[in-house]
């Protein structure tokens, strides 16, 4: 197993060597730490993806919000009500929206299996198109292409609050039993979550917008907080390489923590006069 | 204050009160305001994105302003002939006045940047979604955007939200013990908060305890952000009441009072007759 | 089949790699593309797509009207709203203005009076100074939506200056000029709707906090305490909270913290009462009522600022790094091509 | 005692519309009767820091003010904009305005018309409005490298090079300070990431209170010099500017934010009382629930 580690770390250090050698000529100066960061992060995640693909078993702690997805769609089916999925108000140029669409493809697979009515109002036309692609493929995978129709995913408006007003209108008139808010949100998050609460729906939110997490935490039943939201689609797919990337992400997080502690320790020693070099200058982060 | 302004004030008061009526219940006033808002905003965004994005940034780069008698090569004059065709189309054969494609190109950029033909094509590919057989071309445009998002955000977030925060992990020991204590709180809180986000580690034993502390910091952050947000939201409500009070001035013929009382009366009548209608399930 | 399935993946992977490493390549065109053109391309594609979205919305509203589905009457309003915005954006500029050339100096005051009949002038003296500064050619700061109202006004002020010319703002600028039909629509219809929807949050924040801030467990209590302290600390009323109330609450807080450690409820109760008596006594002894010698820890705004500057900042930083790593991992999966939303 | 408990439980399950009414009144009453509710405003350290940074600027220094908010977030940020322009113009500082949001144009023209004439400032000499450019961070990066790649004309359409105060300004490095009036994305984060940090230009921000939690880490490690958070931040800055200008004999009408602070405080008090009430009824229902074994 560890010869894989040697190969990958060999390639990574070779790339960093070339970068160092041609620094200033091929490569611009000023963002060297970021380049080294990109290479190390990519190598780490790639190593664990590769490891997972060749069968290594990986433990993933349960995320409450994800187990509740199937349960929520089930409840909507029993009550004969629809499922509402809100993919956030940003466009496909935000990774949060891409993650939201990936979660939509899993939810669509469940609604196809349960034959529940799925309603996806979108705030951007490009999100509408890629959400349609995702849903069509999920209904195909679930073996129910007949249940899929294009206008299950429909456009409301590009404006943040016109979109919120439109989605509120859908909620209070069609009273969906399960509401999903997965994507990037701004101030309108509480408008949606409070309306969803007033119609008694199960609400599962997930977002990378740090400022909106408090509202989702207070108003929704389950909330995928920041990184949990980005890991959700890998969890739900349980494809080995995606789960491997979660492990890789954890290791990178561990590295960042080690880096922070060592920066703190070395800097404190410098301040106390024991060491005379400045770690931040060394790392080029000053 | 000509009639357009007064009508505008009455209209904005009516729309404001219609949206507020949503707090009572879903009612005809809110439905009207909501649907008008959806229509107007879809049109507004289409216009703004055309006049501030497609016309200046795309057409402006492909057909910049050239002085009429400049000697253009055979290829360039053919290119500006295409420009005239587009103009002919957009003014329906000259019937409308020349708006989108002013004579001799669009002021703004000095040289033609030919590379902008690619986003022009990708934009057309998106519109081809309307043609069933060619709809798959839109995937190329979406692929470009998703690829761009991955490349930009990978670099952006690694640079500003990870490395910059690592730089801030230092604690300044020169200050008094209180600032050192606070610096340590900051570091411990960040590290324990990060432990909570470990997925592939069982949250038991020492890891479980640290992540418990991390959750406490997260909860304080959520409570504080919520408390802070309450303040912002209240300010916006104050802003709306300001507008309603200002619109109630004599020269606006007391718009707010009149509309408010009319709506309350109408809502009362509507609520009286409304009982059966909401019970029946929508299709 | 290749063009439909594999080609998009190649584009995404290629563009992703090119833009990621483009940040480092020492070539002005590449740097220019990564820093500027990449997002401009996206904005252009998104602007084309907006028409796709508008058409879809229109199709659904028209279908609702044709099929007389529930609430179809309101869809007419949506269609009218869209048509009105397109009319004001593309077909009717409504941005007429008037310029006067070499105004006779003694007519300036009369001109200001005329202007105040069509537009609110909050400081006439200043307007006079402004006109005197540019007598040669002066553009009246009023934009007329209809050409007829502009002509009518130019007739009334015809004696003021040598000649009065009518003009229309260029296409494209009419969208930004305050006074055009489009900006009238923006200020009188679009803004009230969007800012009132935003203001609804004030009510929802209240109902959400009423329902959610409940002492269910220790974490929920932290959420509640931090929320209330921030809510009160950040507004002037926070100044008025007396020190003894803050100290009593603190004693209660400490009491709640140590409660699980002390099984005997009477002893716990005694400790809390003792704490309150001690702090209040100390306060009266050292005369904390005078703001100058009241310890900073007992003033609510200071506590709220501390909570905001340190524990909250730590929590924000943990979430920020977590989100950044989540985005980095997702971007990496896209660049590797193992996660594709299209 | 039992009656009291029943009242609280009944109150606990009250309809959310009753809460809406309470919040509405708590904001409306102080607005209609302002003199009943006047409260002192003490500046927080962050607002004081912003005031000191601007006050330390010398005469004829150049400041870029970026308008990235719209009408819906205007109540929280516009008062800061007005106070800032009063402060800058009273110190004869040259103001360069840009907008990263389309609505920023309307906000900028409104702010300038409200303040500039008061100090007899002339457009093109003392202040210039370059207007809105789409692209978010691309615009910030463009301004950092060369302004003329981004702006060839200003908002009113006259050529950049014909404007007197633009002559000696090639890019952001020629400016002394950047002030971002931000309500979201693109906003202060883009200014600090792509302009002020790389180029080392001092920067402050006035932003909506919800965005403050995202910006605080930058204020903590001094990448942003102080912050005006929401309407209270604006009210504090207004107060500081008003006191400083009164000392210099310049009369400034009381800012909108300060007047509205009373309504703000009342609403906060009502919400906190509601939370406390909610907890009491929750405690009672849980206790009686346990006893009743429901």
């Amino acid at each position: 197993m560890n010869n894989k580690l040697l190969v990958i770390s060999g390639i990574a250090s070779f790339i960093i060597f070339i970068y160092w050698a041609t620094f200033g000529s091929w490569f611009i100066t000023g963002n060297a730490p970021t380049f080294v960061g990109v290479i190390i992060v990519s190598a780490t995640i790639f190593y664990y993806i590769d490891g997972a693909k060749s069968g290594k078993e990986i433990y993933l702690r349960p995320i409450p919000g994800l187990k509740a997805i199937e349960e929520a769609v089930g409840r909507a089916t029993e009550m004969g009500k629809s499922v509402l999925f809100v993919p956030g108000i940003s466009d496909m140029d935000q990774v949060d929206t891409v993650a939201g669409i990936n979660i939509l493809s899993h939810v669509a697979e469940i609604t196809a299996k349960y034959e529940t009515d799925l309603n996806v109002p979108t705030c951007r036309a490009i999100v509408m198109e890629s959400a349609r692609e995702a849903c069509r493929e999920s209904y195909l995978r679930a073996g129910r292409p007949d249940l899929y129709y294009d206008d299950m995913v429909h456009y409301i408006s590009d404006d943040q609050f016109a979109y919120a007003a439109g989605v509120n209108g859908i909620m209070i008139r069609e009273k969906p039993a399960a509401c999903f808010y997965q994507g990037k949100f701004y101030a309108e998050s509480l408008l949606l979550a409070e309306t969803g609460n007033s119609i008694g729906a199960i609400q599962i939110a997930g977002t990378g917008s740090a400022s909106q997490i408090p509202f989702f935490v207070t108003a929704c039943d389950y909330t995928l907080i920041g990184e949990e939201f980005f890991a959700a689609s890998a969890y739900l797919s349980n494809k080995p390489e995606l789960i491997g990337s979660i492990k890789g992400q954890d290791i990178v997080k561990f590295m960042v923590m080690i880096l922070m502690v060592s920066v703190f320790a070395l800097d404190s020693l410098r301040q106390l006069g024991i060491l005379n070099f400045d770690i931040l200058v060394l790392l080029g982060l000053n | 204050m000509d009639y357009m302004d007064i009508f505008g004030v009455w209209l904005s008061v009516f729309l404001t009160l219609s949206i507020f009526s949503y707090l009572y219940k879903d009612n005809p006033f809110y439905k009207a305001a909501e649907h008008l808002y959806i229509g107007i905003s879809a049109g507004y965004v289409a216009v703004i994105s055309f006049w501030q994005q497609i016309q200046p940034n795309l057409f402006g780069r492909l057909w910049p302003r050239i002085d009429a008698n400049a000697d253009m090569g055979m290829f360039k004059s053919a290119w500006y002939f295409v420009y005239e065709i587009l103009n002919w189309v957009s003014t329906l054969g000259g019937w409308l006045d020349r708006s989108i494609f002013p004579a001799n190109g669009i002021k703004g950029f000095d040289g033609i940047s030919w590379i902008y033909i690619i986003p022009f094509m990708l934009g057309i590919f998106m519109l081809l979604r309307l043609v069933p057989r060619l709809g798959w071309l839109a995937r190329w445009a979406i692929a470009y955007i998703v690829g761009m998002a991955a490349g930009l955000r990978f670099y952006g977030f690694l640079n500003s939200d990870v490395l910059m925060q690592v730089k801030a992990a230092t604690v300044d020991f020169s200050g008094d013990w209180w600032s050192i204590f606070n610096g340590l709180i900051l570091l411990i809180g960040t590290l324990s908060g990060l432990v909570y986000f470990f997925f592939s580690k069982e949250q038991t034993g020492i890891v479980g305890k640290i992540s418990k502390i991390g959750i406490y910091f997260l909860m304080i952050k959520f409570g504080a952000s919520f408390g802070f947000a309450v303040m912002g939201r209240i300010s916006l409500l104050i802003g709306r009441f300001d507008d309603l009070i200002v619109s109630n001035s004599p020269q606006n013929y007391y718009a707010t009072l009149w509309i408010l009382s009319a709506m309350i009366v109408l809502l009362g009548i509507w609520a009286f007759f409304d009982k059966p209608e909401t019970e029946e399930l929508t299709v | 089949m290749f063009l439909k399935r594999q080609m998009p993946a190649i584009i995404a992977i290629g563009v992703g790699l090119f833009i990621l490493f483009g940040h480092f390549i020492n070539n002005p065109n590449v740097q220019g593309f990564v820093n500027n053109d990449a997002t401009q391309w996206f904005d252009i594609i998104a602007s084309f797509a907006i028409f796709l979205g508008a058409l879809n919305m229109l199709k659904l509203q028209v279908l609702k009207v044709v099929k007389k589905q529930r609430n179809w009457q309101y869809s007419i309003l949506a269609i009218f709203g869209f048509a009105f915005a397109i009319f004001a954006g593309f077909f009717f500029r409504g941005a007429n203005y008037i310029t006067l050339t070499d105004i006779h100096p003694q007519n300036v005051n009369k001109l200001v009076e005329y202007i105040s009949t069509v537009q609110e002038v909050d400081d006439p003296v200043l307007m006079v100074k402004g006109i005197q500064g540019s007598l040669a050619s002066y553009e009246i700061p009023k934009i007329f939506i209809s050409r007829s109202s502009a002509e009518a006004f130019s007739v009334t002020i015809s004696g003021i200056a040598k000649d009065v010319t009518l003009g229309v703002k260029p296409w494209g600028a009419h969208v930004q000029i305050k006074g055009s039909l489009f900006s009238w629509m923006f200020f009188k219809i679009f803004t009230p709707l969007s800012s009132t929807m935003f203001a609804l949050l004030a009510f929802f924040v209240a109902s959400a906090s009423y329902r959610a801030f409940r002492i269910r467990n220790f974490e929920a209590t932290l959420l509640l305490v931090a929320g209330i302290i921030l809510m009160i600390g950040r507004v002037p009323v926070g100044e008025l909270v007396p020190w003894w109330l803050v100290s009593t609450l603190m004693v209660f807080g400490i009491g709640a913290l140590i409660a699980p450690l002390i099984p005997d409820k009477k002893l716990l109760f005694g400790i809390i009462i003792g704490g309150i008596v001690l702090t209040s006594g100390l306060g009266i002894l050292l005369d904390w009522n005078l703001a100058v010698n009241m310890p900073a820890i007992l003033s609510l705004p200071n506590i709220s600022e501390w909570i905001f500057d340190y524990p909250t900042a730590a929590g924000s930083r943990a979430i920020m790094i977590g989100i950044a790593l989540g985005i980095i991992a997702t971007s990496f999966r896209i660049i590797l091509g193992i996660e594709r939303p299209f | 005692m039992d009656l009291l408990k029943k009242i609280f439980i009944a109150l606990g399950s009250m309809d959310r519309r009753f809460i809406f009414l309470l919040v509405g009144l708590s904001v409306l009453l102080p607005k209609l009767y302002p003199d009943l509710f006047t409260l002192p405003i003490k500046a927080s350290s962050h607002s004081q820091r912003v005031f000191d940074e601007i006050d330390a600027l010398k005469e004829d220094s150049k400041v870029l003010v970026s308008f990235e908010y719209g009408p819906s977030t205007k109540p929280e940020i516009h008062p800061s904009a007005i106070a800032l322009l009063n402060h800058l113009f009273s110190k004869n500082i040259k103001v360069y305005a840009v907008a990263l949001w389309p609505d920023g144009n309307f906000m900028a023209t409104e702010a300038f018309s409200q303040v500039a004439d008061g100090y007899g400032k002339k457009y093109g000499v003392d202040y210039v409005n370059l207007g809105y450019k789409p692209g978010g961070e691309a615009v910030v990066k463009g301004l950092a490298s060369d302004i003329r790649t981004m702006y060839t004309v200003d908002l009113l359409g006259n050529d950049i090079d014909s404007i007197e105060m633009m002559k000696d300004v090639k890019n952001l490095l020629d400016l002394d300070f950047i002030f971002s009036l931000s309500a979201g994305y693109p906003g202060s984060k883009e200014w600090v990431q792509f302009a002020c940090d790389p180029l080392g230009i001092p920067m402050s921000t006035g932003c909506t209170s919800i965005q403050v939690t995202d910006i605080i880490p930058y204020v903590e490690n001094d990448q942003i010099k102080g912050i005006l958070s929401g309407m209270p931040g604006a009210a504090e800055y207004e107060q500081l500017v008003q006191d400083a200008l009164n000392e210099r004999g310049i009369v400034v009408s009381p800012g909108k934010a300060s007047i509205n602070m009373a309504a703000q405080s009342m609403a906060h008090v009502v919400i906190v009382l509601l939370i406390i009430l909610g907890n009491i009824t929750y405690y009672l229902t849980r206790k009686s629930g346990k006893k009743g074994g429901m």
Side-chain angles (χ1 to χ4, degrees), chain A residues 109-151:
Chain A
E109 214 168 321
I110 303 170
T111 53
K113 225 171 24 187
Y114 282 29
E115 292 166 18
T116 339
D117 190 3
L118 175 64
N119 183 346
V120 183
T122 64
C123 187
R124 293 286 193 273
I126 300 175
V127 175
M128 171 177 79
E129 292 311 328
S130 58
R132 280 180 173 168
E133 292 287 330
C135 287
R136 181 182 298 124
E137 224 152 279
S138 299
Y139 272 75
L140 210 63
R141 257 204 315 273
R144 296 305 306 271
D146 53 317
L147 284 178
Y148 170 78
Y149 57 98
D150 259 350
D151 283 337

Side-chain angles (χ1 to χ4, degrees), chain A residues 67-212:
Chain A
K67 279 201 304 300
I69 290 180
E70 184 119 12
E71 188 192 304
V73 176
R75 179 163 172 256
T77 326
E78 280 152 34
M79 298 164 69
K81 292 268 187 71
S82 64
V83 167
L84 180 77
F85 189 98
V86 177
I89 66 162
S90 282
D91 213 325
M92 291 303 277
D93 67 323
Q94 296 292 342
V95 177
D96 312 49
T97 319
V98 174
I101 299 291
N102 290 336
I103 295 171
L104 169 61
S105 57
H106 295 292
V107 171
E109 214 168 321
I110 303 170
T111 53
K113 225 171 24 187
Y114 282 29
E115 292 166 18
T116 339
D117 190 3
L118 175 64
N119 183 346
V120 183
T122 64
C123 187
R124 293 286 193 273
I126 300 175
V127 175
M128 171 177 79
E129 292 311 328
S130 58
R132 280 180 173 168
E133 292 287 330
C135 287
R136 181 182 298 124
E137 224 152 279
S138 299
Y139 272 75
L140 210 63
R141 257 204 315 273
R144 296 305 306 271
D146 53 317
L147 284 178
Y148 170 78
Y149 57 98
D150 259 350
D151 283 337
M152 138 194 318
V153 179
H154 55 98
Y155 172 84
I156 293 194
S157 155
D158 256 59
D159 176 67
Q160 168 185 13
F161 287 104
Y163 177 72
V167 174
N168 278 358
I170 294 172
M171 279 197 215
I172 37 184
R173 282 160 220 147
E174 285 168 27
K175 291 193 170 41
C179 295
F180 294 95
Y181 312 108
Q182 305 288 341
K184 197 164 180 58
F185 289 89
Y186 290 92
E188 77 297 334
S189 58
L190 191 60
L191 278 178
L192 304 173
E194 267 299 291
T195 310
N197 183 281
S198 69
I199 60 169
I202 291 189
Q203 302 192 104
I204 300 172
T207 183
S209 322
S211 53
Q212 302 310 317

